[in-house]
Amino acid sequence: MSDLKRINSALISVFDKSNLEPIIEKLNKLGVQIYSTGGTKQFIEKLGVKVIAVEDLTNYPSILGGRVKTLHPKVFGGILARRDNSSDIEQLGQYQIPEIDLVIVDLYPFEDTVASGAGEQDIIEKIDIGGISLIRATAKNFKDTLIVPSKNQYSDLLEILESKEGKTSIEDRKDFALEAFNVSSHYDTAIFNYFNSEKQKPVFKQSEISGTELRYGENPHQKGLFFGKIEDVFDQLHGKKISYNNLLDIEAAVQLISDFDETTFAVLKHNNACGIASRDKLVEAWNDALAGDPISAFGGILITNKEVDVESAIEIDKIFFEVIIAPSYTNDALEVLKKKKNRIILIQKMFEFPGKQYRSMLNGVLVQDRDSKMEVEVDLKTATNKTPSKEEIEDLLFANKLVKHSKSNTIVLAKNKQLCASGIGQTSRVDALKQAIVKANNFKFELKGAVIASDAFFPFADCVQIADEAGISSVIQPGGSIKDQDSIDYCNEHGMKMVLTGTRHFKH
C-alpha cells in the first residue's frame, strides 16, 4: 500500500445522517477540521463537535432556498487542487482557499420521492445539484481527495479511519472514486428516465447500483450476476441460495400465476408449465397439476396463488423440487416443507412487473413492452357454426393463458381446467400438436371433449384435423391467416367449435 495521505479537513453535506455520528466523533478525535452547512452542520454541532459553516468559508450565504450552498470556488478549489502542482497550490494561497481532503455526501432521495407518488415540484426539488457536483469533483481528484458518495459507504469510511488512523492510500481513494461515479451515473439515469417517462425518447438507459453474484450462470463455466432487489419481490424463508436457473424459472412461474384468480397450482420446468390445474381446494389443484407430468415435476419449480396448508404440504413433500412460491404458508405447512434443508421456500409479495422487457442482442439490446394482455370471454369471437359451451369456454380461456406463457411454437391441450399436455418450442405447429397428443396419451388423459389452444394462427387445416382425430372438441387461436377459412370449414364439417382471440402470444 503506497502514497498514504492524512485527512486534515473534511466537508460533510448529507441528506441521511443515520450512522454518521461515529464518523464525526472519529474525525474530531483525529483533529480533522470539519466544514458543513444546513441540517448537517446543526447535526454536528449537537454532537458537541466544532464545525465551520461553508457560508463562513465562502463569505457567501446559502441562497435560493438552499439551492445554492456549496457551489463556490473556495469549496471546489480546495477539492480540485492538485497537491503536486505548484501553480494550483500557489493559487490556493493567493485566494485563501483551504485544502479539503475528504468529502462526505448523501444525495437527495430522488428515486424514493418519485416512487412515493409525490408531485412534480417536490420531485424536481429532490434533484441534487451541489451534492452531485461535490461527488464528481472529489472523485476526479482521487489522487489527493477521498469521496464518500452515499450513506452506503459510511461503514467503509469508518473502517479506514479506525484502522489507518485518518490516512488513506491511493488504492482506497480510487476505490471510493469508482463507487462515486457508480452513484452519480445511477442518479442521473434515474432523473433522465423520470423526464423520459412521457416522451419515451428511444434511448436505452437502465441502471442498478449493485449486483448479487450467483453461484454461476446457466452452466458452471459461466459467471452469473443478478441486478435488482429480489427482496422487494420475495421473502426467502428457507433453503439454499437462489441460482441463475432458479431465477429464470421463478420469473416464468410468477408471470404465469399472475394471470389466474381461481385457486391454482402450477409446476414449471425450464420456464414452461409441465403441470397446472385450477380447483376449489388447494390440495386438489396440486394433485391434478402433478398428474399433468409427474416425471418432469422432479426438480421443478412449484407456485400457487393461495396459502399453502398442511394437507397440501404433506402431498407436496412427497416429491423432490427446487423451489416453492406462495403468498403465505401455515406454520404446520412450513414445518413439513422445511424438512429438506436445501429446499427454497419463498413468499411472494405484492409488486408490479416492470412495463418493459430487455434482452441482449448481437451488439445491442432489444426492448419491448411486456405482454400484459390476457383475453377474457368478451374478447372471443366464435368463428364456427357451433358455439362452445360454458365449460368449454372456461377450458379455452384456461388453455389460452398457458400458451401465452409457453415457448413458441406451442400447443396446449386442456380439460376441466387441467393441463393434459403441451407441445412447446417446436419449429412446426404440427409437431407441437403431435408432441402434446403423445404426451397426453402417455399419462392416460382422455382427450375426448378436451380443448386445444395455439399461440399463433393455423396456416392450414392440418392441426384442427389432427386434433379432431384425437377427440378434441374446441379450438382457441388468434386467427389472422389468409387461410383461416380452411380451418373454420374443417371444424364446421366435423362438428368442432372454434373461437378467435385476435391476439398472438409468441414467446421466444
Side-chain angles (χ1 to χ4, degrees):
M1 198 159 293
S2 60
D3 194 26
L4 288 175
K5 286 182 176 286
R6 177 173 294 280
I7 297 171
N8 295 309
S9 58
L11 170 62
I12 307 175
S13 179
V14 302
F15 180 83
D16 192 333
K17 300 162 188 67
S18 305
N19 302 316
L20 187 62
E21 182 175 343
I23 292 173
I24 301 299
E25 292 175 345
K26 185 62 180 180
L27 290 173
N28 185 51
K29 184 178 179 181
L30 292 169
V32 175
Q33 177 64 67
I34 299 175
Y35 301 92
S36 191
T37 186
T40 308
K41 174 177 170 291
Q42 294 174 11
F43 176 83
I44 296 170
E45 288 174 332
K46 286 181 181 178
L47 296 176
V49 174
K50 182 181 177 182
V51 56
I52 297 176
V54 168
E55 293 85 348
D56 293 336
L57 169 64
T58 63
N59 291 318
Y60 214 93
S62 172
I63 62 172
L64 307 181
R67 280 189 165 196
V68 180
K69 292 181 285 191
T70 58
L71 296 169
H72 194 280
K74 280 203 170 184
V75 174
F76 282 84
I79 292 170
L80 286 165
R82 292 158 290 191
R83 309 311 197 251
D84 60 357
N85 185 301
S86 59
S87 177
D88 285 6
I89 299 303
E90 182 181 337
Q91 289 183 58
L92 291 185
Q94 179 183 354
Y95 297 108
Q96 298 182 316
I97 300 173
E99 295 179 4
I100 296 176
D101 305 316
L102 167 66
V103 175
I104 305 175
V105 175
D106 185 64
L107 299 171
Y108 291 155
F110 177 82
E111 289 180 280
D112 290 345
T113 305
V114 172
S116 73
E120 183 172 86
Q121 189 54 44
D122 289 335
I123 290 171
I124 297 303
E125 289 305 317
K126 286 299 185 289
I127 298 176
D128 207 311
I129 303 301
I132 207 78
S133 301
L134 290 170
I135 288 173
R136 291 177 64 85
T138 312
K140 177 178 179 176
N141 200 27
F142 69 87
K143 284 181 65 179
D144 298 303
T145 59
L146 179 70
I147 177 62
V148 178
S150 83
K151 61 185 178 182
N152 296 326
Q153 284 74 50
Y154 287 176
S155 60
D156 295 332
L157 171 63
L158 186 60
E159 183 179 346
I160 287 176
L161 294 176
E162 291 179 339
S163 63
K164 298 180 182 177
E165 287 299 306
K167 295 179 181 179
T168 65
S169 67
I170 185 66
E171 293 87 357
D172 294 330
R173 298 191 296 276
K174 196 168 186 178
D175 284 345
F176 274 77
L178 170 67
E179 190 57 39
F181 288 118
N182 184 22
V183 169
S184 65
S185 62
H186 177 81
Y187 197 77
D188 284 340
T189 296
I191 295 170
F192 171 82
N193 285 333
Y194 168 74
F195 277 91
N196 197 40
S197 58
E198 292 184 8
K199 184 77 173 178
Q200 293 292 301
K201 187 177 177 68
V203 174
F204 182 74
K205 289 186 185 293
Q206 294 296 317
S207 174
E208 289 291 342
I209 204 74
S210 62
T212 301
E213 187 167 346
L214 305 173
R215 284 176 288 165
Y216 48 80
E218 277 189 285
N219 301 291
H221 63 276
Q222 295 171 274
K223 184 176 180 180
L225 294 165
F226 174 73
F227 292 93
K229 297 178 180 178
I230 197 168
E231 65 274 11
D232 291 348
V233 185
F234 301 108
D235 285 328
Q236 182 168 351
L237 304 182
H238 185 74
K240 62 185 178 181
K241 187 177 178 181
I242 295 173
S243 71
Y244 184 100
N245 289 328
N246 288 155
L247 285 170
L248 292 176
D249 284 328
I250 288 168
E251 156 79 4
V254 171
Q255 291 278 1
L256 171 63
I257 207 70
S258 69
D259 277 332
F260 288 86
D261 295 321
E262 293 181 81
T263 299
T264 301
F265 224 122
V267 184
L268 286 90
K269 199 74 171 287
H270 297 295
N271 313 155
N272 294 290
C274 56
I276 183 169
S278 296
R279 295 289 182 264
D280 292 333
K281 287 188 65 178
L282 186 66
V283 68
E284 294 172 357
W286 161 250
N287 287 331
D288 287 346
L290 179 62
D293 188 345
I295 296 175
S296 294
F298 182 86
I301 306 294
L302 316 183
I303 190 166
T304 181
N305 54 3
K306 303 298 179 184
E307 181 176 72
V308 176
D309 54 39
V310 67
E311 182 183 11
S312 302
I314 290 170
E315 293 301 311
I316 294 165
D317 189 54
K318 294 177 181 178
I319 73 161
F320 168 73
F321 61 91
E322 288 269 340
V323 182
I324 184 169
I325 308 164
S328 60
Y329 305 81
T330 67
N331 290 332
D332 289 343
L334 283 176
E335 188 175 337
V336 172
L337 295 173
K338 286 182 177 181
K339 289 178 182 178
K340 303 290 191 300
K341 68 175 183 178
N342 288 330
R343 184 179 281 166
I344 298 169
I345 303 175
L346 301 177
I347 288 181
Q348 183 180 336
K349 301 178 181 179
M350 295 293 292
F351 80 104
E352 286 190 19
F353 292 108
K356 300 289 184 182
Q357 291 178 312
Y358 314 106
R359 180 182 292 186
S360 61
M361 187 61 52
L362 300 175
N363 60 346
V365 177
L366 277 174
V367 181
Q368 70 169 353
D369 295 333
R370 185 175 294 278
D371 184 1
S372 58
K373 182 171 177 54
M374 192 67 259
E375 293 71 40
V376 294
E377 186 171 353
V378 295
D379 298 317
L380 306 183
K381 177 184 176 182
T382 301
T384 50
N385 297 331
K386 296 182 70 173
T387 301
S389 66
K390 179 179 179 296
E391 291 75 17
E392 286 172 322
I393 289 290
E394 290 180 350
D395 280 346
L396 289 167
L397 292 172
F398 177 90
N400 193 52
K401 292 175 183 179
L402 296 185
V403 295
K404 172 186 170 182
H405 296 283
S406 302
K407 295 290 185 181
S408 300
N409 287 314
T410 184
I411 292 289
V412 166
L413 308 180
K415 186 177 180 180
N416 299 326
K417 289 185 280 189
Q418 178 187 20
L419 173 63
C420 300
S422 58
I424 51 179
Q426 298 301 304
T427 54
S428 159
R429 198 160 302 282
V430 171
D431 286 345
L433 174 54
K434 289 179 177 178
Q435 180 191 64
I437 292 172
V438 168
K439 190 172 183 180
N441 289 334
N442 285 344
F443 290 113
K444 309 303 181 185
F445 279 100
E446 173 55 67
L447 292 181
K448 185 176 181 180
V451 304
I452 176 176
S454 175
D455 59 340
F457 63 64
F458 295 120
F460 306 103
D462 46 8
C463 280
V464 290
Q465 179 179 349
I466 295 169
D468 176 41
E469 291 169 353
I472 293 164
S473 62
S474 295
V475 182
I476 185 169
Q477 57 129 334
S481 169
I482 60 173
K483 293 188 175 183
D484 273 348
Q485 197 60 45
D486 290 355
S487 295
I488 295 170
D489 288 344
Y490 181 93
C491 289
N492 283 331
E493 291 166 7
H494 294 82
M496 296 178 74
K497 304 119 182 179
M498 178 184 288
V499 296
L500 306 178
T501 66
T503 302
R504 188 183 72 187
H505 287 295
F506 269 164
K507 184 182 180 187
H508 295 105

